[in-house]
Amino acid sequence: MAGDNEVNANESKRVVPLNTWVLISNFRLAYNLLRRPDGTFNRDLAEFLDRKVPANTIPVDGVLSFDHVVDRPTGLLNRVYLPVPHDASQWGFEELEKPLSTTEAVPVILFFHGGSFSHSSANSAIYDTFCRRLVGLCKGAVVSVNYRRSPEHRYPCANDDGWAALKWVKSRPWLMSGKDSKVHVYLAGDSSGGNIAHHVAVRAAEAEVEILGNILLHPLFGGQERTESEKRLDGKYFVKIEERDWYWRAYLPEGEDRDHPACNPFGPRGRSLEGLKFPKSLIVVAGLDILQDWQIAYVEGLKRNGQEVKLLYLKQATIGFYFLPNNEHFYCLMEEIKNFVKPNC
Amino acid sequence: MGPFDPSAAAAAAAAAAAAASSSSSSSCSGGSAPKRHHHHHHHHPPPDLDGLLAGAGYKVRSSELHHVAQRLERLETALVNSAAHIPHLASDAVHYNPSDLASWVDSMLSELPSSSFSSPCLPSGFPDPYSPAAAALGGGWVDHPSCSPHPQPHQNVVVPQQPQPQQQQQLTVVTALEEDSGIQLVHALMTCAESVQRGDASLAGSLVEEMRALLTRVDTSRGIGKVAGYFIDALGRRLLGLGSAPASAFENEVLYHHFYEACPYLKFAHFTANQAILEAFDGHDCVHVIDFNLMHGLQWPALIQALALRPRGPPLLRLTGIGPPSPDGRDVLREIGLRLAELARSVNVRFAFRGVAASRLEDVKPWMLQVSPKEAVAVNSIMQLHRLLGSDPPRDPPIGSVLPWIRSLNPKIMTVAEQEANHNRPGFLDRFTEALYYYSTLFDSLEAACPVQPDKALAEMYLQREICNIVGCEGAARVERHEPLDRWRARLGRAGFRPLHLGSNAFKQASMLLTLFSTEGYSVEENEGCLTLCWHSRPLIAASAWQAAPTVVNSPAGVINHDDNNNQLSCSPVPMLSIETDIPSSIQ
């Protein structure tokens, strides 16, 4: 039950800093204006309201970025973030002809931004900031995929775009590293981006394309059933079930329900990953996220299929805790990610 | 001016740099005018702004956070209580400048009937920052279980200063990445530009020869090969002291017209400006548009038609078109004026035209425009203001005298469109690099979006002129001194203008205009009240609107006080502009 709105607002205020509360509540407000009951989406207003930043080839805090069109017909764009060596004056354009390193493995994170499949872009300010942080943290490259969004483009468009982006990344000489001269790719994503990362990883495993790890930040999974966490937390910490339902209806093929494997990969219509060379996974669950039961079920599903998975459960975290570096969960997460992408000796 | 001799080149470069920096040093003082970056995202936010929210694209004062939070809560409650508000807020209401969260939420609240949200007397649930308890906590956010064991950052975090190395070589990344020959070409271009900057003309010259040879092994019909070709030519011309090729006004007009047809940049500028002018003219019966560069008057038929459709009837429209004198005894300006008058007559709009022939905008004096105090004035500058930023030292750039007289006209609105790039950096290498990136993007969009000849080839020549000017000229001859939005904001602010925000309605209509161009890749973005047209997420053209900031001084026009406190355009319904791609007037 949603409960009294003021009570809910008071609850969420207690667990996040003020500026985080303002940020996420602002998104909620904007998003409420964009979803229409008939399933259509006010894309113009969405693009108007979204705060975007251009790429910047001038390094800022040791990170530069540029956009690259991967696929002209779909307009698929990747935003590439690269670390700039300390002695920036020595760094020139010719660096892009060389691999990231010839001696050690440098991680390349293929990142899928969140937004419930409908919101945000690779050049959204919050995600540009986040990706830049990842570069600094992992001392590697980040490639953020500007995948096509619903409801204009339903499943499987986002996954197809992810796959195209993966192939592109894997084939860039200037993203290669290590004595084995290959691109050391990790997949990462928050919310819907986490969902996409999973499906791209499955496809990669089937095609024997190597992914070194998956990092899913409160990934978007669901199902027809109403789980205990959905009932208990509905409307309490920035998220309502009816909104989640809307986004699935907008993303899944028309007429499908939430047990579609895109939404519920280990549900009644899910597929087995047993025997598949699926990457190790770091699954981050926010303890105040209504979807945590689905995320934990996902973790259990991976385990059942013999896959390596680590669950990072942040009990008092809400969704979006990683946008602003003003809480302990943020720092905890960053530490885990850093260790996750460290090359094995 | 010939930078053939290295010392002369150095002197010329130094002089140009000094001139540019003397005009830009005044523009760098105050505000947060960037020196290198032209997007606000990475600036140091003013100390009272919440630094973390700034990184998310929102400008909120730390002291206002509680207020904004309260408002957000009230809005959410109102929307929960009555979902009927949502369509109104989403579709009918016009939104402005979402970066300014405080004013955005306040304006939405004002759109709702006041009965729909709870009384302001109820406690918000947030600690009162002015209560003694809050003061004891240091006025910051309440400390709660999830307090970080790390030092709690202050709400108004300031991004640490990034030391910029002296000779930071700027990176140009073009789609050339994928082609080896492309990388070689770009590398050679940068090296050549760098040697030009150092004054090493002989090295530069031999590099130009090398690059010409490289070009023969590369596909010059598209992509980096084509763009590089133009830059190599421009470098060659610079080294020979040739500057830009001289062009007749007629040639300029032909190229302009094809550029207009080949891609949406000028149409976007015209369309957005016209929307803003239409709204600003609402309620006025005598209106006067001053066009800083009439050309063939392509912008005005749509405005005339929209004014004709005004619910309360069209105003008397005066149009003053500024343009170069016609050499051969023709009066081109008058001819354009006659055609526009014909159109106006056909839709029953009372219309008067005046042509002002001037070879340079700075030669125009306000008395020539014959502005009457009774009329609402719109000043329209499409890609013209940047031409006023250059000069031959020791003279000052003419912008310093032009902006004041514009302001003295007390315009209801000034619409400005400019290239969103910094091609006015004092250092040649910086300018060159930025231009290479910018025009690569522009050419890329032409290739993808305009297969039609001869529009495409002539549009490319139009752009080639600009490249030649940026690369080949200095001083007063270098007129293509594009500067990005942030610099224009600072400059116009100092000159006594304040922004008129373009809202979600203008955004939506501009987006719809783009759908007429069936290619994926164009998009419109909102940038703190201005709109930019982007190709693959790179902003290329910025459209903005301005009005004279309030003053109590008697202006020559006799106006004492500006009565309009609202910096947003009127929300009353205005007719939609119809988008005409076939302009009625015939173009030779």
Side-chain angles (χ1 to χ4, degrees):
Chain A
M1 275 294 296
D4 176 57
N5 199 62
E6 270 192 41
V7 171
N8 295 332
N10 285 332
E11 296 222 27
S12 56
K13 282 177 214 166
R14 273 199 276 277
V15 294
V16 294
L18 178 54
N19 50 5
T20 300
W21 195 93
V22 164
L23 181 69
I24 300 183
S25 301
N26 161 63
F27 287 147
R28 273 190 59 69
L29 175 64
Y31 295 177
N32 282 339
L33 298 180
L34 303 173
R35 293 186 306 269
R36 297 200 194 99
D38 64 357
T40 60
F41 189 77
N42 193 336
R43 182 60 65 191
D44 280 327
L45 186 58
E47 294 305 293
F48 177 81
L49 293 175
D50 190 24
R51 306 292 80 207
K52 298 181 198 283
V53 298
N56 194 358
T57 52
I58 301 176
V60 176
D61 293 337
V63 183
L64 68 83
S65 64
F66 60 89
D67 291 332
H68 189 92
V69 180
V70 172
D71 182 34
R72 279 207 181 263
T74 59
L76 176 64
L77 208 70
N78 285 343
R79 178 163 289 185
V80 179
Y81 301 84
L82 294 177
V84 174
H86 279 301
D87 190 0
S89 62
Q90 298 290 63
W91 203 84
F93 180 68
E94 57 270 21
E95 298 302 314
L96 273 173
E97 300 175 56
K98 302 191 209 145
L100 291 170
S101 164
T102 47
T103 49
E104 37 173 53
V106 177
V108 176
I109 300 178
L110 188 59
F111 179 76
F112 301 94
H113 68 82
S116 307
F117 299 105
S118 300
H119 298 285
S120 294
S121 307
N123 59 348
S124 295
I126 44 167
Y127 286 112
D128 187 85
T129 299
F130 184 74
C131 287
R132 285 172 171 272
R133 289 208 178 101
L134 282 182
V135 172
L137 179 75
C138 304
K139 310 280 185 274
V142 173
V143 178
S144 183
V145 183
N146 202 35
Y147 58 87
R148 286 168 293 169
R149 296 164 300 185
S150 55
E152 298 94 326
H153 300 104
R154 293 173 176 269
Y155 168 91
C157 292
N159 294 345
D160 289 345
D161 290 349
W163 177 244
L166 175 63
K167 286 193 295 183
W168 182 83
V169 162
K170 276 290 208 179
S171 56
R172 297 307 103 190
W174 45 273
L175 286 177
M176 294 180 179
S177 60
K179 299 201 175 75
D180 43 3
S181 263
K182 65 177 186 188
V183 184
H184 293 77
V185 178
Y186 294 80
L187 301 185
D190 67 316
S191 163
S192 52
N195 178 297
I196 297 169
H198 163 80
H199 289 289
V200 172
V202 171
R203 192 163 169 185
E206 287 167 344
E208 293 180 0
V209 172
E210 186 192 32
I211 309 269
L212 296 174
N214 273 7
I215 302 167
L216 309 194
L217 286 181
H218 55 61
L220 215 55
F221 294 120
Q224 278 303 106
E225 184 197 336
R226 297 298 190 199
T227 61
E228 186 270 341
S229 65
E230 283 170 307
K231 294 183 221 173
R232 175 170 50 93
L233 296 172
D234 186 12
K236 292 221 161 48
Y237 298 101
F238 306 115
V239 186
K240 288 186 186 161
I241 298 180
E242 62 179 6
E243 295 155 8
R244 297 290 106 221
D245 290 350
W246 189 97
Y247 291 112
W248 286 120
R249 279 195 305 274
Y251 176 66
L252 296 169
E254 305 214 40
E256 288 284 1
D257 70 18
R258 291 186 301 276
D259 281 333
H260 186 282
C263 175
N264 196 355
F266 293 122
R269 295 161 59 187
R271 57 153 291 166
S272 165
L273 300 184
E274 213 158 345
L276 216 51
K277 195 159 179 290
F278 195 77
K280 64 172 182 174
S281 295
L282 172 65
I283 311 302
V284 182
V285 177
L288 299 176
D289 184 356
I290 66 172
L291 297 182
Q292 59 190 280
D293 285 352
W294 291 112
Q295 292 151 2
I296 291 171
Y298 174 78
V299 169
E300 299 300 315
L302 285 176
K303 284 184 186 160
R304 270 198 319 273
N305 280 263
Q307 303 298 347
E308 185 187 338
V309 54
K310 173 171 184 182
L311 167 64
L312 176 65
Y313 186 83
L314 298 166
K315 189 155 176 240
Q316 283 294 97
T318 64
I319 50 133
F321 68 88
Y322 46 85
F323 285 137
L324 304 183
N326 58 5
N327 61 87
E328 63 179 346
H329 314 298
F330 174 93
Y331 292 101
C332 187
L333 170 69
M334 291 298 138
E335 196 61 28
E336 288 286 340
I337 293 179
K338 187 164 84 163
N339 294 330
F340 189 73
V341 303
K342 272 206 184 106
N344 302 320
C345 348
Chain B
M1 26 133 265
F4 203 94
D5 170 32
S7 56
S21 65
S22 69
S23 62
S24 63
S25 60
S26 53
S27 71
C28 282
S29 63
S32 51
K35 287 182 173 47
R36 297 196 82 88
H37 318 137
H38 55 76
H39 51 276
H40 58 272
H41 178 61
H42 297 298
H43 298 167
H44 313 308
D48 56 340
L49 288 188
D50 184 289
L52 296 186
L53 288 180
Y58 297 100
K59 299 198 165 165
V60 189
R61 282 199 275 275
S62 304
S63 51
E64 278 184 321
L65 276 172
H66 279 88
H67 166 98
V68 171
Q70 260 187 358
R71 296 297 205 257
L72 282 168
E73 202 186 340
R74 278 192 210 167
L75 273 167
E76 164 111 23
T77 306
L79 296 187
V80 162
N81 290 343
S82 173
H85 293 314
I86 293 180
H88 169 67
L89 284 179
S91 311
D92 304 329
V94 181
H95 300 260
Y96 297 94
N97 193 7
S99 287
D100 184 353
L101 253 188
S103 67
W104 184 59
V105 296
D106 280 345
S107 69
M108 277 197 289
L109 274 174
S110 67
E111 292 278 339
L112 301 180
S114 52
S115 54
S116 57
F117 43 82
S118 50
S119 150
C121 300
L122 280 178
S124 69
F126 291 108
D128 177 353
Y130 302 111
S131 76
L137 288 171
W141 188 221
V142 72
D143 92 281
H144 54 83
S146 62
C147 240
S148 164
H150 302 257
Q152 187 78 343
H154 287 288
Q155 302 296 359
N156 52 350
V157 146
V158 172
V159 175
Q161 177 86 25
Q162 171 72 0
Q164 300 285 0
Q166 288 292 72
Q167 286 293 110
Q168 184 168 33
Q169 185 179 352
Q170 199 182 30
L171 173 72
T172 297
V173 183
V174 297
T175 50
L177 271 181
E178 307 303 82
E179 311 159 29
D180 281 334
S181 51
I183 296 181
Q184 266 189 299
L185 262 178
V186 173
H187 197 172
L189 278 167
M190 306 289 279
T191 313
C192 184
E194 205 258 329
S195 59
V196 166
Q197 175 163 282
R198 274 185 297 109
D200 188 346
S202 64
L203 174 59
S206 62
L207 280 167
V208 167
E209 290 314 309
E210 258 182 53
M211 289 191 287
R212 288 206 167 113
L214 252 183
L215 272 183
T216 61
R217 303 201 294 277
V218 152
D219 180 3
T220 54
S221 67
R222 48 168 297 282
I224 185 62
K226 169 177 275 185
V227 178
Y230 292 132
F231 277 83
I232 293 166
D233 280 344
L235 280 167
R237 294 189 68 90
R238 183 187 181 96
L239 292 173
L240 292 173
L242 294 176
S244 299
S248 73
F250 174 70
E251 278 172 14
N252 281 339
E253 283 171 22
V254 169
L255 295 183
Y256 180 93
H257 186 78
H258 287 280
F259 182 68
Y260 177 90
E261 291 295 341
C263 46
Y265 302 107
L266 288 176
K267 289 175 189 162
F268 164 77
H270 291 176
F271 187 74
T272 307
N274 283 349
Q275 277 298 126
I277 292 172
L278 198 57
E279 285 183 40
F281 280 170
D282 191 38
H284 291 273
D285 291 323
C286 292
V287 303
H288 184 177
V289 175
I290 299 168
D291 187 359
F292 275 5
N293 185 28
L294 185 68
M295 279 293 181
H296 287 152
L298 294 173
Q299 182 172 349
W300 305 120
L303 182 69
I304 292 171
Q305 283 159 345
L307 287 171
L309 293 173
R310 264 188 2 173
R312 286 182 294 274
L316 163 62
L317 169 66
R318 288 180 58 208
L319 174 64
T320 299
I322 299 171
S326 330
D328 51 1
R330 281 173 62 200
D331 188 344
V332 174
L333 290 173
R334 188 162 174 276
E335 285 172 22
I336 309 289
L338 283 173
R339 274 190 240 142
L340 290 172
E342 184 57 46
L343 170 67
R345 186 172 32 245
S346 73
V347 291
N348 293 321
V349 174
R350 291 166 297 145
F351 179 80
F353 176 84
R354 181 184 187 81
V356 173
S359 23
R360 301 175 314 172
L361 199 49
E362 52 262 42
D363 295 335
V364 175
K365 302 287 174 259
W367 59 261
M368 298 175 189
L369 308 173
Q370 302 206 328
V371 168
S372 144
K374 288 192 326 264
E375 52 191 19
V377 173
V379 174
N380 183 72
S381 165
I382 308 293
M383 324 295 202
Q384 297 304 303
L385 290 186
H386 64 257
R387 305 173 74 89
L388 303 172
L389 296 177
S391 64
D392 288 323
R395 293 165 79 186
D396 286 327
I399 189 91
S401 55
V402 171
L403 286 183
W405 71 242
I406 297 176
R407 192 170 177 321
S408 75
L409 300 176
N410 202 17
K412 189 85 203 300
I413 188 169
M414 175 169 66
T415 45
V416 175
E418 283 287 328
Q419 291 90 336
E420 182 63 6
N422 199 342
H423 297 151
N424 199 22
R425 292 206 160 110
F428 179 77
L429 179 59
D430 283 343
R431 225 162 54 227
F432 185 88
T433 312
E434 180 118 6
L436 186 58
Y437 191 17
Y438 181 82
Y439 286 98
S440 297
T441 310
L442 212 36
F443 274 92
D444 191 54
S445 77
L446 273 179
E447 249 166 61
C450 177
V452 176
Q453 299 289 15
D455 285 344
K456 181 162 158 245
L458 293 173
E460 289 174 356
M461 275 181 65
Y462 176 85
L463 294 175
Q464 183 191 16
R465 292 270 171 87
E466 291 184 3
I467 293 169
C468 245
N469 187 271
I470 295 168
V471 172
C473 298
E474 293 298 343
R478 176 156 62 90
V479 292
E480 298 298 344
R481 292 179 181 258
H482 314 144
E483 287 195 346
L485 253 183
D486 275 349
R487 288 185 70 92
W488 284 113
R489 281 195 180 107
R491 194 187 294 280
L492 290 170
R494 276 195 310 280
F497 293 92
R498 67 176 181 192
L500 270 174
H501 291 145
L502 303 173
S504 52
N505 52 350
F507 180 94
K508 178 171 178 154
Q509 285 163 13
S511 297
M512 277 165 53
L513 171 72
L514 290 183
T515 62
L516 295 178
F517 294 84
S518 51
T519 316
E520 286 291 323
Y522 288 115
S523 59
V524 184
E525 282 185 14
E526 192 280 344
N527 182 332
E528 290 187 71
C530 306
L531 297 187
T532 58
L533 176 56
C534 309
W535 173 252
H536 288 143
S537 82
R538 158 80 209 244
L540 292 174
I541 304 288
S544 58
W546 307 83
Q547 64 180 182
T551 174
V552 282
V553 176
N554 267 342
S555 80
V559 174
I560 296 173
N561 248 331
H562 209 284
D563 58 1
D564 189 3
N565 271 330
N566 182 3
N567 74 337
Q568 294 168 354
L569 293 170
S570 118
C571 295
S572 51
V574 288
M576 263 266 292
L577 283 188
S578 61
I579 303 159
E580 300 268 292
T581 49
D582 291 324
I583 307 298
S585 45
S586 62
I587 311 291
Q588 281 107 313

